[in-house]
Amino acid sequence: MTDLEFLQRALACEHEAVYGYGVVGARLNGQPREQARGIWDAHREQRDELDSLITARKGKPAGSEPAYKLPDGRTPAEIAAALEAKLVDVYLGLAGASDPKLRRYGAQAMQVAIDRQVRWSRSAPAEPFPGLNPSQTTPSPGL
Amino acid sequence: MPVPVTRRVVLAGGALVTLGGCGGTDPENLVPKPDVAVLLGAIASEEMLISLYETVTAVHTGLPQAVTDALQHHREHLGVLRRHYVPGTGSATATPGSTPTSAAPPAGLRDALTALRSAEKKAAAARAEDVAKVSPGIAQLLASIGAYEAGHATALGLL
């Protein structure tokens, strides 16, 4: 996968997060609502940043959908945690980009996303290797 | 149409660092030097975290499950990192030249959790910097470990 494709995936996921946090915020009140609002703003900034990174690489940024299917029957906090978990996974891809600056960008974005995921879910990471397939923790056979 | 995002991301850039020798070739010669240096640093970091967790769990009782789980997870990190350094020697002896510092156990439980949190944050920051110095395959492994550490630092702060 190319760096541009990793960026497009991340942008698509940020579009979903922007939409999702709009729904989450509407279902909350008081301080949690303000918290969601702040994160919503942050995702919008992240979305715009990814848009710029894609444009700078002569790509056409992926557009957002009119709506996204969010999990049914979940609390707003659970929805937010699920959105962030998805972002952890997608930014892992970017952490494997050929451009080292994008790798750092992806790694840092993973950490921001998992921080939010933990805060919303009020639980520590359940897996030792977030985003990685267990089979991919084993070195490939030697040459 | 959004790009489907699968739960598990395929590693970029092909395989992780291939270290297996063939025909008697020194395994380290097959690994780009920055990868080796960064791997050694990550291994030392995990050894330090494990030492700290072992100290805390030996001194304090009634610790949250998340703390004991983290100790096991860091051992898994160390095992995987060591396998990437020299495949087939997951139970190898301590990293050459690296001896975990046996810090004095924090006085109280709250101080112990604060120390663990600080160590996790420091390790997470280091892994996020490491990814720019290594090949993409190893970068994703380190990014994943760093994300775990960042998430666990947050969790410790919520206890």
Side-chain angles (χ1 to χ4, degrees), chain B residues 106 108-120 156:
Chain B
L109 178 57
R110 185 52 50 186
D111 288 339
L113 294 177
T114 298
L116 289 174
R117 186 178 183 207
S118 176
E120 294 277 14
L156 286 167

Side-chain angles (χ1 to χ4, degrees), chain A residues 111-124:
Chain A
Q111 294 193 12
V112 171
I114 203 168
D115 168 78
R116 291 173 180 151
Q117 179 191 354
V118 169
R119 289 182 190 281
W120 283 117
S121 66
R122 310 296 293 182
S123 61

Side-chain angles (χ1 to χ4, degrees), chain A residues 92 95-96 103 106-108 110-111 128-130 132 136-137, chain B residues 11 16-17 34-46 77-78 80-82 84 123-150:
Chain A
L92 178 70
R103 293 203 292 274
Q108 290 171 338
M110 282 182 76
Q111 294 193 12
F129 300 98
L132 273 185
Q136 292 163 334
T137 57
Chain B
L11 288 177
L16 293 174
V17 175
D35 282 19
V36 173
V38 170
L39 270 174
L40 287 175
I43 287 170
S45 177
E46 289 296 331
H77 293 165
L78 181 60
V80 170
L81 288 168
R82 281 181 173 161
H84 283 81
R127 300 295 81 75
E129 290 303 311
D130 283 345
V131 301
K133 306 170 192 170
V134 295
S135 55
I138 286 289
Q140 287 185 312
L141 173 61
L142 296 176
S144 178
I145 289 174
Y148 174 88
E149 289 160 350

Side-chain angles (χ1 to χ4, degrees), chain B residues 29-96:
Chain B
N29 289 336
L30 298 177
V31 178
K33 287 303 180 184
D35 282 19
V36 173
V38 170
L39 270 174
L40 287 175
I43 287 170
S45 177
E46 289 296 331
E47 289 174 334
M48 185 280 294
L49 279 165
I50 289 167
S51 175
L52 184 58
Y53 272 94
E54 287 175 341
T55 300
V56 170
T57 54
V59 170
H60 298 282
T61 58
L63 287 166
Q65 184 64 37
V67 175
T68 49
D69 287 349
L71 174 54
Q72 178 53 37
H73 290 158
H74 282 300
R75 285 173 175 153
E76 292 184 50
H77 293 165
L78 181 60
V80 170
L81 288 168
R82 281 181 173 161
R83 284 203 299 274
H84 283 81
Y85 177 61
V86 182
T89 58
S91 58
T93 54
T95 310

